[in-house]
Amino acid sequence: MAKYLMKRILYAIFTLWIVVTITFVMMMGVPGNPFAGEKALPQAVLDNLMAFYKLDQPLIMQYFNYLLRVVTLDFGPSMRSQSTDINTYIANGLPVSMQLGLQALLVALVLGVLLGVIASLNHNKVGDYLATVIAIVGVSVPSFVMGRFLIIVFVTNFKVLSFGAFHGFENWSYSILPSIALAALPLATIARLTRSSMLEVINQEYIKTARAKGLKQSAIIIKHALRNAILPIVSALGTITTNLVTGSFVVERIFGIPGLGEAFIKSVESRDYAMIIASTVVYSFILIVITLVIDISYTFIDPRINLVGGAKNG
Amino acid sequence: MEKLLDVKDLKISFQTYAGKVQAVRGVSFFVNKKEVLGIVGESGCGKSVTSSAIMRILPQPPALYEGGEARLLDVNLLSLKEEEMRLIRGRDISMIFQDAMASLNPTIKIGKQIMEPLMIHQSLKANAAREKAIEMLDLVGISNPEKRVDQYPHEFSGGMRQRAMIAIALACRPKLLIADEPTTALDVTIQAQIIKLMNNLKEEMGTSIIMITHDLGVVAEMCDRIVVMYAGKIIESGNAKAIFYNPKHPYTTSLLESVPNMKMSRDKVLTPIPGTPPDLFAPPVGCSFYARCKHAMNICKDNEPAVTDVPDEYDRLHYSACWLNSLEYKEYNKEAVR
């Protein structure tokens, strides 16, 4: 296992390098620069800025500068505002986005699996249709509509909840609505996956065996069916989790949350090269780590999966 | 002989988009204590449905119980509440299936799968159940059971998986074991081992067995009595000798002619049964074998043959549902000859 982990970490570093390189090429290929505003800057000012950020150097030098920044994990100041140190920015924003994302993930996972199981057990009956409707609503209603709707219902009309900045459990109730708004889409995805996967599993012979043993329906579903049905959901969790914990531009905007979501979108828009590279690294790093965790968790869920690769008996 | 299971006029159909399929159309048979009953017939004749119906593990819908009863000693299984039936499954009646790989849960250790019925029906604690599971694995001839108990199904070979299935089924020493084509997916040497094992365990535990198969070889080796099914009905029943040496239904005769045997002369050609079984969406009015029968007569087309006694030197309780055996037909035939 240790050998496998080492191998995976080496692969991860390699992957990260590829991602940074491709991002760099694409970033430089896009016309414009960080300082192009509505009002053109005087040439002398522009030259100075370019020199300050080392953008006047040959591309290959710039590339190595970026690589150095990634390796040292020191992304320097934002190109848009000198006062913003990117490392501090991420250190402040990431925990907020992560908390929000993990809460949303919890909601999506618990309710999604529950909904999917209910749907599969009531195949082509009311429960199934109800779950399908919820799933379709979750997929098709955009988060800005969902967010606003939640605000109107719970904040404006019933006045039971509020929203705004929160830190950990300080003002925790502020994080409830954005978590729900964020959870809607992954909840629907998970529900649909669970439903189709469960439908496949409950028609398997070993479910018949379990019934023939005299097991209760609930025991059959929880012990025999769900464990076999959960694998496709776990696979999907990789991207779902990454998307959730790295923050959502829309949801963070609507609920006024100082997360990371905004940085991703705005940095591209404004050609903030330093910020683009930083957010790419954060995003890919999280994705790579989560993928590794998920790959390892497969072996616990399904004993037939063998990551290390070795002699199989039987 | 005391009857353990008595099935009377069992009718099962399946509701589908295309209409109602009458899979089992009034089936009556019984199993005595310590007896092996073979249910024989080709694919789709309703033999598996019959057995799953007795266990009440057919998914409803689409399955519909349309009548009849199945008594285990004094209890009509078909009228029990689901919760009462659940306690009978695995304790009084167990079942093993054709494909042992698919029938074992791939993500649960073999030992745990054997422990489950013990913990439900005998309220054993985990430790005691584990001991019993090891004992069962040993009993079904799996070597090194202490190690095997903690392995997963994919670490077992095909024959061992079926042995493990038998261990699960017999863990609570059921009165009746329903074996639904247990040897079909195995190669011949393993088949022989499994049959030998089942025969031994039957003697040891005094379990009655319903053996569902289309393999007449398996039937000959194991069964005391045989029920032949065709198109959702029983067309002949009797003890093994009566069925093999003195078949009284053209379908049984054809079935025996289509299987090779060791005493057969080398030039003898096997005779397949022409045609296909009838469509059970709209079963025929008369004899269901009419369309494929080489002895078909006018009377067979629109009149269903009654179950008739055809006692012989092998079995006084030999029954067949064919006009050839019917008194009415014999009278009619005499008339015709005259």
Side-chain angles (χ1 to χ4, degrees):
Chain A
M1 198 67 188
K3 205 175 150 196
Y4 172 77
L5 273 178
M6 276 304 295
K7 212 165 87 183
R8 282 297 296 257
I9 290 169
L10 284 178
Y11 278 144
I13 293 171
F14 182 69
T15 315
L16 213 55
W17 172 66
I18 302 265
V19 169
V20 170
T21 307
I22 292 177
T23 313
F24 179 80
V25 170
M26 290 191 342
M27 190 168 83
M28 289 306 174
V30 178
N33 66 58
F35 318 112
E38 294 197 351
K39 212 166 67 180
L41 291 170
Q43 191 59 39
V45 178
L46 194 61
D47 286 346
N48 264 336
L49 276 169
M50 290 295 229
F52 180 80
Y53 287 108
K54 296 181 182 163
L55 292 177
D56 55 347
Q57 291 179 357
L59 275 182
I60 189 77
M61 286 307 295
Q62 291 188 38
Y63 173 65
F64 283 114
N65 283 338
Y66 280 119
L67 275 191
L68 191 71
R69 285 183 166 192
V70 172
V71 171
T72 54
L73 288 179
D74 175 16
F75 297 102
S78 161
M79 292 188 180
R80 289 297 285 184
S81 68
Q82 178 66 71
S83 58
T84 313
D85 176 63
I86 294 179
N87 282 40
T88 326
Y89 185 83
I90 290 174
N92 287 336
L94 193 58
V96 178
S97 287
M98 266 189 155
Q99 185 191 343
L100 192 62
L102 289 177
Q103 284 175 194
L105 182 70
L106 197 68
V107 173
L109 199 59
V110 172
L111 292 183
V113 169
L114 195 68
L115 214 57
V117 170
I118 291 172
S120 66
L121 296 183
N122 296 290
H123 187 36
N124 287 343
K125 282 187 271 186
V126 182
D128 190 9
Y129 297 135
L130 200 70
T132 310
V133 168
I134 296 177
I136 291 174
V137 168
V139 171
S140 45
V141 174
S143 50
F144 58 88
V145 175
M146 178 69 85
R148 294 259 151 81
F149 173 77
L150 290 174
I151 292 174
I152 290 169
V153 172
F154 292 101
V155 184
T156 322
N157 285 356
F158 290 106
K159 297 187 170 61
V160 279
L161 284 170
S162 188
F163 60 89
F166 57 90
H167 291 283
F169 288 99
E170 185 189 326
N171 294 335
W172 182 75
S173 71
Y174 287 3
S175 71
I176 295 175
L177 289 181
S179 298
I180 295 171
L182 200 56
L185 178 64
L187 188 154
T189 314
I190 291 171
R192 284 170 30 182
L193 269 174
T194 310
R195 175 181 177 273
S196 58
S197 181
M198 276 294 284
L199 280 177
E200 201 183 308
V201 167
I202 53 181
N203 285 317
Q204 295 286 323
E205 285 284 305
Y206 54 79
I207 299 299
K208 211 158 95 180
T209 309
R211 289 196 68 195
K213 280 180 191 174
L215 259 72
K216 281 186 185 140
Q217 179 72 6
S218 55
I220 295 174
I221 296 304
I222 295 166
K223 289 187 192 158
H224 286 259
L226 208 50
R227 179 152 175 201
N228 286 287
I230 208 83
L231 223 47
I233 299 144
V234 173
S235 309
L237 276 185
T239 28
I240 290 178
T241 313
T242 314
N243 284 332
L244 287 178
V245 299
T246 48
S248 150
F249 176 65
V250 175
V251 170
E252 288 178 3
R253 205 63 194 284
I254 290 174
F255 291 96
I257 295 158
L260 263 196
E262 204 175 356
F264 289 173
I265 308 292
K266 280 205 166 164
S267 64
V268 177
E269 210 173 53
S270 60
R271 311 279 185 277
D272 189 342
Y273 296 145
M275 189 65 106
I276 292 177
I277 291 287
S279 29
T280 311
V281 169
V282 169
Y283 193 94
S284 353
F285 179 76
I286 292 175
L287 181 61
I288 287 167
V289 170
I290 288 172
T291 312
L292 179 61
V293 170
I294 281 170
D295 281 355
I296 292 170
S297 73
Y298 282 152
T299 57
F300 291 101
I301 297 168
D302 190 337
R304 286 168 299 179
I305 294 172
N306 185 355
L307 290 178
V308 187
K312 275 195 179 177
N313 22 347
Chain B
M1 281 283 205
E2 200 185 337
K3 282 182 187 175
L4 175 69
L5 180 77
D6 196 1
V7 178
K8 285 209 175 92
D9 201 27
L10 181 69
K11 287 181 183 142
I12 310 284
S13 38
F14 290 91
Q15 194 68 54
T16 70
Y17 288 114
K20 204 191 255 183
V21 185
Q22 300 174 32
V24 175
R25 303 185 292 146
V27 157
S28 304
F29 64 91
F30 60 89
V31 186
N32 289 322
K33 281 188 176 162
K34 298 187 180 181
E35 182 183 58
V36 182
L37 175 79
I39 302 185
V40 187
E42 62 195 282
S43 305
C45 71
K47 51 192 195 301
S48 292
V49 174
T50 304
S51 58
S52 302
I54 296 166
M55 275 296 256
R56 292 215 354 225
I57 54 170
L58 289 172
Q60 286 173 274
L64 293 169
Y65 287 81
E66 303 218 272
E69 56 178 43
R71 292 192 171 276
L72 181 79
L73 298 174
D74 293 325
V75 187
N76 181 6
L77 301 175
L78 303 188
S79 63
L80 288 182
K81 289 197 190 82
E82 170 58 27
E83 184 59 21
E84 294 166 328
M85 187 62 213
R86 181 175 77 76
L87 295 174
I88 287 182
R89 290 189 201 117
R91 187 188 69 192
D92 296 326
I93 313 180
S94 285
M95 200 161 176
I96 54 179
F97 303 96
Q98 177 175 343
D99 185 350
M101 180 74 225
S103 306
L104 290 166
N105 190 328
T107 56
I108 299 181
K109 286 176 184 167
I110 295 281
K112 195 116 186 278
Q113 299 193 50
I114 304 175
M115 285 157 66
E116 269 180 340
L118 291 164
M119 293 170 80
I120 301 167
H121 298 302
Q122 302 186 346
S123 314
L124 291 187
K125 292 272 178 299
N127 276 339
R130 192 187 144 87
E131 287 305 310
K132 192 80 202 287
I134 294 174
E135 210 177 283
M136 284 310 295
L137 282 175
D138 192 38
L139 191 68
V140 296
I142 286 176
S143 55
N144 209 348
E146 286 87 359
K147 187 182 145 219
R148 291 293 188 177
V149 78
D150 286 324
Q151 288 187 337
Y152 289 96
H154 70 273
E155 296 170 282
F156 275 45
S157 68
M160 281 164 65
R161 284 178 205 142
Q162 197 56 287
R163 285 172 193 267
M165 272 305 292
I166 294 173
I168 294 173
L170 296 182
C172 298
R173 298 187 168 247
K175 299 186 179 84
L176 176 66
L177 173 68
I178 302 177
D180 191 350
E181 311 217 16
T183 57
T184 311
L186 303 171
D187 63 58
V188 190
T189 45
I190 310 291
Q191 270 188 20
Q193 292 173 14
I194 296 290
I195 288 171
K196 198 172 154 206
L197 172 70
M198 289 179 70
N199 269 332
N200 291 344
L201 291 175
K202 174 198 73 180
E203 294 300 326
E204 214 175 303
M205 298 191 168
T207 307
S208 302
I209 300 179
I210 297 181
M211 187 82 184
I212 294 162
T213 181
H214 57 250
D215 186 340
L216 291 169
V218 171
V219 174
E221 273 180 80
M222 280 198 73
C223 300
D224 302 311
R225 279 191 316 112
I226 298 171
V227 158
V228 184
M229 280 189 78
Y230 185 77
K233 291 196 169 216
I234 290 177
I235 49 110
E236 184 165 7
S237 66
N239 70 22
K241 280 190 172 157
I243 299 286
F244 274 98
Y245 300 137
N246 189 25
K248 283 292 184 190
H249 193 288
Y251 177 66
T252 316
T253 316
S254 310
L255 213 55
L256 291 168
E257 278 172 2
S258 64
V259 186
N261 73 59
M262 301 288 276
K263 287 175 192 157
M264 204 177 253
S265 84
R266 258 204 267 172
D267 342 301
K268 174 128 167 70
V269 180
L270 292 177
T271 332
I273 308 174
T276 50
D279 180 7
L280 292 179
F281 280 107
V285 191
C287 174
S288 40
F289 193 53
Y290 171 72
R292 304 168 79 185
C293 181
K294 49 189 172 188
H295 304 287
M297 304 172 289
N298 284 337
I299 192 173
C300 306
K301 190 180 175 195
D302 296 319
N303 302 283
E304 199 181 329
V307 177
T308 325
D309 288 38
V310 280
D312 54 27
E313 53 187 306
Y314 305 108
D315 191 359
R316 286 184 303 108
L317 301 172
H318 189 175
Y319 297 100
S320 165
C322 178
W323 284 116
L324 288 172
N325 305 313
S326 148
L327 274 176
E328 288 160 62
Y329 159 73
K330 280 174 185 158
E331 291 299 318
Y332 171 83
N333 214 20
K334 245 184 259 169
E335 297 280 317
V337 170
R338 231 179 263 160

